[in-house]
C-alpha cells in the first residue's frame, strides 16, 4: 500500500517537528501558485478560475501518489500553449468557456491515463524521446510563441490569429492602428520589470506576489478600470463539484493526439526536475513511479474542471528554499487556495489582465535557453542544427506539430548515428600501449598487409551496408591486405540482415585472398552469430579474444615483423 500510495506512508511516518517548515513553505509557495495558476489557465485559453481548481487537485493527487517529497505540480507554462492548440480548434464553433473546460478536462483524463499506464508498464524511457538539443530548441520556440501570444494582452487589446507569424503581424498592425491602452501597458511593463529584476537581485522574494499586490493596488488608487484596463473580476466562490466531462466521440482521437504530446513534455519536465532535486536531497529517482504520480495529478484535475499538469521547477525551488521537507507542503498550498475560494473569492477581483500577461511572459523568459543554443553551436554543430530545426518547427508549424518535429528529429538523430557511426583504422603509436585510432594518433610502425578496422556501433540492418562498403574499400587498397581484423568490442549486437551481409562479405574477401577475422567480439554477440548459422562460413579460428592476440597470430602465420612508418590502409 505504501509503495502504491506513497502519500499514506509519508503521513503515517510524519514527524510533527517537520510541520512548521512545511507550513511556512506551503504558504510561501501559495503566493506563486495562485497568480501563476490563473495566468497559465488563460494561457491555455481557459477561465482563470480553472487554474486554481487544477492547482488544488494536482497538489492533492501528487501528494498521495507521487514518490518525491519536494516536487510541486500544477499548471505549467510549457503545457499551456499545447492545451490551447489541442482544445481551442475543437470548441471554435461553440466558443463557450464551459465547453472549453469540458474538452480540457477530458484532455487531462487522457494525459493522466497515458502517463499512469506508462508508469505501470515501466515505460520510463519514453521521456528520453526528447534529446537535450531538441528540448532546447523546442523550449526556445515555445518561449517565443508564448511571448508573442501575450503581447496583445500586455498592451491592453486582443488579436484574432492562430499562428506565431499571424499573431506577430496582427500585433504590429494593432499597435500601428493605435489600439494600445496606455494604462494597461504601463501596468504590464511595470509588473514584468519588477518580476524580472527581483528574480535576479532578490531571488528568495516572491516577486510574482509583489507584482500582483502592487498591480491590484494601482487599480484601486488610479481607478484603472475606467482607463480601459481589463480586470480578472469576481471569481466563483467555493469548490468545483466532481464532474465526469464528456465531449463528442468524433473529437476523442484529436484530443488523444494532443494528449500524447502533452504527456511526453510533462514527463520529460517532471523526470528532469525530479532528478535535479533528488541530487539535492540525496534520494533516487524512480521514473516509473513519477509517471504514476504526475498521471494521478492530471486525472484528479480532470475530474474537477481542471486541465493537464506538470512539475514546476521554479515553484519546487521556492518550496525547497523555504524549507519544504514533505508533500505536506503541497497539502498546505491546496488548503490555502481552497480557503481563499471559500472565504475570500473577491480577493483578486481587481487583478489586471496585463499583470497576468506579465507573469506568463516572465515564465516564458525562464523557458528560453539562449546560452544553451550558443553552447551547442560551440560544442557540436550537428546538435545545434537539431535545436534550430526543433525551434523552427514550433515557431513556424505550431506547438503540437513542433513537438512532433522535435521527437522525430531526436529519433532520426539516433538513427543517423547508428546508420553512420564512428569508424577507425587502428595502429601502433609511439609511447602508447595497444592499438589506437590513426586519425588521432599518428602510426609509427605497422605490419605489412594488415588492416585493423573498428566499427563503433551495433551491426544492424540500418548500417550493414556501411560496414560492408568500408571493409570492401579497405580490401581494395593496394597492396591488398592479407588479413582484415575487425576490432569488435564496440559491436554490441548483430541482427539477421547483418549476419547475411557478413556471410557474403567473408566469402567475397576470401575469394580475393583476404581473411576476415574478429577480435574482442562479445560472447553474447558470437552466440547470436552461431544461432544465425554464420559459423558455416566464419569459422572458430577467425575469432580472437583480443586485438593483440589476433595481431600476433597474423604476424606468426604470415612470417612478418613490424616495419617503421604508417600503414597503407586508411578510411575514406
Amino acid at each position: 500500500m505504501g509503495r502504491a500510495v506513497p502519500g499514506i506512508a509519508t503521513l503515517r511516518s510524519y514527524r510533527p517537528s517537520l510541520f512548521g517548515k512545511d507550513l511556512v513553505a506551503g504558504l510561501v509557495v501559495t503566493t506563486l501558485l495562485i497568480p501563476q495558476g490563473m495566468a497559465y489557465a488563460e494561457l491555455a485559453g481557459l477561465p482563470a478560475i480553472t487554474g486554481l481548481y487544477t492547482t488544488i487537485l494536482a497538489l492533492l493527487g501528487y501528494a498521495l501518489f507521487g514518490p518525491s517529497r519536494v516536487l510541486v505540480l500544477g499548471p505549467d507554462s510549457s503545457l499551456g500553449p499545447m492545451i490551447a492548440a489541442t482544445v481551442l480548434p475543437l470548441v471554435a464553433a461553440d466558443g463557450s468557456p464551459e465547453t472549453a473546460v469540458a474538452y480540457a478536462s477530458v484532455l487531462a483524463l487522457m494525459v493522466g491515463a497515458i502517463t499512469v499506464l506508462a508508469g505501470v508498464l515501466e515505460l520510463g524511457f519514453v521521456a528520453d524521446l526528447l534529446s537535450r538539443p531538441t528540448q532546447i530548441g523546442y523550449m526556445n520556440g515555445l518561449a517565443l510563441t508564448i511571448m508573442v501570444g501575450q503581447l496583445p494582452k500586455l498592451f491592453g487589446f486582443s488579436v484574432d490569429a492562430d499562428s506565431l507569424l499571424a499573431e506577430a503581424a496582427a500585433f504590429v498592425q494593432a499597435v500601428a492602428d493605435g489600439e494600445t491602452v496606455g494604462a494597461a501597458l504601463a501596468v504590464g511593463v511595470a509588473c514584468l520589470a519588477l518580476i524580472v529584476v527581483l528574480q535576479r537581485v532578490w531571488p528568495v522574494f516572491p516577486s510574482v506576489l509583489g507584482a500582483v499586490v502592487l498591480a491590484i493596488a494601482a487599480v484601486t488608487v488610479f481607478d484603472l478600470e475606467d482607463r480601459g484596463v481589463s480586470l480578472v473580476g469576481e471569481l466563483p466562490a467555493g469548490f468545483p463539484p466532481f464532474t465526469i466531462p464528456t465531449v463528442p466521440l468524433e473529437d476523442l482521437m484529436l484530443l488523444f493526439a494532443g494528449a500524447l504530446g502533452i504527456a511526453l513534455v510533462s514527463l520529460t519536465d517532471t523526470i528532469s526536475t525530479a532528478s535535479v532535486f533528488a541530487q539535492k536531497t540525496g534520494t533516487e529517482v524512480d521514473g516509473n513511479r513519477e509517471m504514476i504520480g504526475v498521471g494521478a495529478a492530471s486525472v484528479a484535475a480532470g475530474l474537477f474542471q481542471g486541465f493537464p499538469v506538470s512539475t514546476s521547477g521554479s515553484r519546487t525551488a521556492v518550496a525547497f528554499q523555504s524549507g519544504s521537507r514533505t508533500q505536506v507542503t503541497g497539502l498546505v498550498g491546496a488548503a490555502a487556495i481552497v480557503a481563499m475560494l471559500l472565504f475570500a473569492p473577491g480577493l483578486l477581483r481587481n487583478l489586471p489582465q496585463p499583470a497576468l500577461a506579465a507573469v506568463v511572459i516572465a515564465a516564458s523568459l525562464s523557458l528560453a535557453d539562449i546560452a544553451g543554443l550558443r553552447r551547442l553551436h560551440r560544442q557540436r554543430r550537428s546538435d545545434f542544427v537539431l535545436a534550430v530545426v526543433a525551434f523552427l518547427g514550433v515557431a513556424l508549424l505550431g506547438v503540437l506539430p513542433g513537438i512532433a518535429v522535435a521527437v522525430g528529429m531526436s529519433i532520426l538523430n539516433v538513427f543517423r548515428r547508428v546508420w553512420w557511426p564512428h569508424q577507425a583504422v587502428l595502429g601502433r603509436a609511439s609511447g602508447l600501449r595497444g592499438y589506437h585510432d590513426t586519425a588521432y594518433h599518428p602510426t609509427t610502425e605497422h605490419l605489412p598487409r594488415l588492416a585493423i578496422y573498428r566499427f563503433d556501433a551495433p551491426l544492424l540492418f540500418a548500417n550493414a551496408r556501411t560496414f560492408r562498403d568500408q571493409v570492401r574499400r579497405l580490401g581494395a587498397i593496394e597492396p591488398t591486405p592479407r588479413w582484415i581484423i575487425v576490432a569488435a568490442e564496440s559491436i554490441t549486437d548483430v541482427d539477421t540482415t547483418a549476419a547475411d551481409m557478413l556471410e557474403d562479405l567473408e566469402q567475397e574477401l576470401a575469394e580475393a585472398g583476404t581473411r576476415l577475422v574478429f577480435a574482442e567480439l562479445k560472447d553474447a554477440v558470437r552466440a547470436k552469430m552461431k544461432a544465425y548459422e554464420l559459423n558455416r562460413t566464419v569459422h572458430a579460428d577467425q575469432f580472437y579474444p583480443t586485438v593483440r592476440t589476433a595481431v600476433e597470430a597474423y604476424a606468426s602465420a604470415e612470417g612478418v615483423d613490424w616495419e617503421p612508418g604508417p600503414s597503407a590502409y586508411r578510411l575514406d
Side-chain angles (χ1 to χ4, degrees):
M1 183 67 175
R3 180 171 176 80
V5 189
I8 293 178
T10 298
L11 292 176
R12 285 176 176 173
S13 61
Y14 190 74
R15 301 196 309 271
S17 60
L18 298 176
F19 183 69
K21 292 183 177 180
D22 283 338
L23 176 63
V24 171
L27 294 175
V28 170
V29 80
T30 300
T31 63
L32 282 177
L33 292 171
I34 293 175
Q36 287 187 342
M38 297 171 66
Y40 298 159
E42 295 199 343
L43 177 62
L46 302 169
I49 186 63
T50 61
L52 300 185
Y53 297 158
T54 300
T55 300
I56 295 167
L57 272 302
L59 293 173
L60 293 176
Y62 190 83
L64 282 177
F65 294 96
S68 172
R69 288 177 171 264
V70 297
L71 291 188
V72 177
L73 267 69
D76 188 71
S77 57
S78 63
L79 299 189
M82 299 182 72
I83 296 169
T86 304
V87 169
L88 295 187
L90 298 176
V91 300
D94 185 291
S96 72
E98 294 78 11
T99 303
V101 170
Y103 274 86
S105 296
V106 171
L107 186 64
L109 294 178
M110 285 183 170
V111 171
I114 291 169
T115 310
V116 170
L117 183 61
V120 170
L121 297 179
E122 299 185 352
L123 300 177
F125 67 88
V126 300
D128 298 328
L129 289 178
L130 278 177
S131 66
R132 184 58 182 161
T134 51
Q135 283 185 54
I136 290 174
Y138 174 78
M139 286 302 177
N140 278 309
L142 196 61
L144 180 62
T145 299
I146 293 172
M147 189 181 306
V148 170
Q150 292 297 306
L151 284 177
K153 186 187 294 185
L154 192 76
F155 278 63
F157 57 81
S158 62
V159 298
D160 184 15
D162 56 3
S163 69
L164 176 66
L165 296 179
E167 284 185 334
F171 168 73
V172 171
Q173 184 62 49
V175 172
D177 292 342
E179 295 185 23
T180 300
V181 177
L185 180 60
V187 170
V189 170
C191 288
L192 179 59
L194 183 64
I195 294 171
V196 172
V197 171
L198 285 178
Q199 285 177 345
R200 290 181 177 272
V201 302
W202 196 5
V204 297
F205 182 81
S207 57
V208 172
L209 175 65
V212 166
V213 170
L214 290 178
I216 293 174
V219 168
T220 304
V221 172
F222 298 107
D223 197 19
L224 295 182
E225 186 174 13
D226 289 341
R227 297 175 181 266
V229 177
S230 299
L231 307 180
V232 168
E234 189 87 18
L235 296 177
F239 196 72
F242 174 84
T243 305
I244 298 179
T246 59
V247 299
L249 289 177
E250 59 268 22
D251 290 339
L252 289 179
M253 285 307 299
L254 295 174
L255 285 175
F256 182 74
L260 288 174
I262 292 170
L264 177 59
V265 172
S266 176
L267 290 175
T268 302
D269 192 23
T270 296
I271 291 177
S272 61
T273 304
S275 299
V276 170
F277 285 93
Q279 293 175 359
K280 295 179 182 292
T281 57
T283 57
E284 294 291 330
V285 174
D286 186 334
N288 296 313
R289 292 178 66 198
E290 287 293 353
M291 286 183 164
I292 294 173
V294 72
S298 284
V299 169
L303 293 174
F304 289 88
Q305 300 179 27
F307 49 87
V309 299
S310 181
T311 301
S312 168
S314 61
R315 281 166 278 176
T316 301
V318 168
F320 186 76
Q321 292 168 0
S322 302
S324 173
R325 293 295 178 267
T326 71
Q327 282 297 330
V328 170
T329 296
L331 297 179
V332 170
I337 299 173
V338 170
M340 186 199 75
L341 292 178
L342 289 176
F343 305 112
L347 186 64
L348 300 175
R349 178 180 57 249
N350 289 335
L351 175 60
Q353 291 285 357
L356 289 182
V359 171
V360 174
I361 292 174
S364 74
L365 294 176
S366 68
L367 290 177
D369 188 0
I370 305 302
L373 274 178
R374 288 199 296 264
R375 177 175 55 81
L376 291 177
H377 184 268
R378 184 176 64 254
Q379 295 177 348
R380 190 182 180 105
R381 294 296 176 87
S382 60
D383 283 352
F384 173 75
V385 171
L386 283 177
V388 171
V389 171
F391 169 81
L392 293 175
V394 176
L396 300 180
L397 302 179
V399 176
L400 289 178
I403 189 67
V405 168
V407 172
M409 290 301 297
S410 293
I411 295 173
L412 286 175
N413 189 39
V414 173
F415 186 80
R416 179 187 65 83
R417 293 178 180 178
V418 172
W419 173 63
W420 192 254
H422 181 263
Q423 304 167 74
V425 167
L426 307 184
R428 290 216 304 196
S430 178
L432 295 175
R433 297 179 61 185
Y435 303 89
H436 304 276
D437 189 341
T438 57
Y440 298 95
H441 302 280
T443 303
T444 56
E445 55 181 355
H446 69 281
L447 286 173
R449 303 186 71 172
L450 171 67
I452 308 173
Y453 170 62
R454 191 181 71 207
F455 190 79
D456 293 336
L459 197 49
L460 308 172
F461 70 95
N463 57 28
R465 182 188 297 271
T466 301
F467 178 94
R468 182 200 65 189
D469 291 349
Q470 188 59 67
V471 172
R472 279 178 173 173
R473 292 188 190 101
L474 288 173
I477 295 175
E478 294 293 340
T480 304
R482 292 196 178 99
W483 280 28
I484 296 177
I485 298 174
V486 178
E489 182 182 14
S490 54
I491 297 178
T492 56
D493 193 12
V494 173
D495 69 3
T496 55
T497 301
D500 291 343
M501 176 275 296
L502 287 174
E503 184 174 18
D504 294 339
L505 180 63
E506 197 281 335
Q507 292 177 349
E508 177 184 325
L509 291 173
E511 291 173 0
T514 299
R515 190 165 186 248
L516 183 66
V517 304
F518 296 87
E520 301 184 10
L521 189 68
K522 299 180 186 304
D523 292 338
V525 179
R526 188 171 175 183
K528 287 184 179 181
M529 293 172 67
K530 184 177 181 180
Y532 301 150
E533 299 181 352
L534 192 59
N535 56 331
R536 293 177 304 178
T537 53
V538 183
H539 303 111
D541 62 352
Q542 291 174 258
F543 295 93
Y544 292 88
T546 65
V547 174
R548 181 178 62 83
T549 57
V551 170
E552 290 174 350
Y554 170 77
S556 175
E558 298 295 327
V560 296
D561 204 354
W562 291 95
E563 297 180 359
S567 167
Y569 307 108
R570 295 179 176 83
L571 297 181
D572 291 344

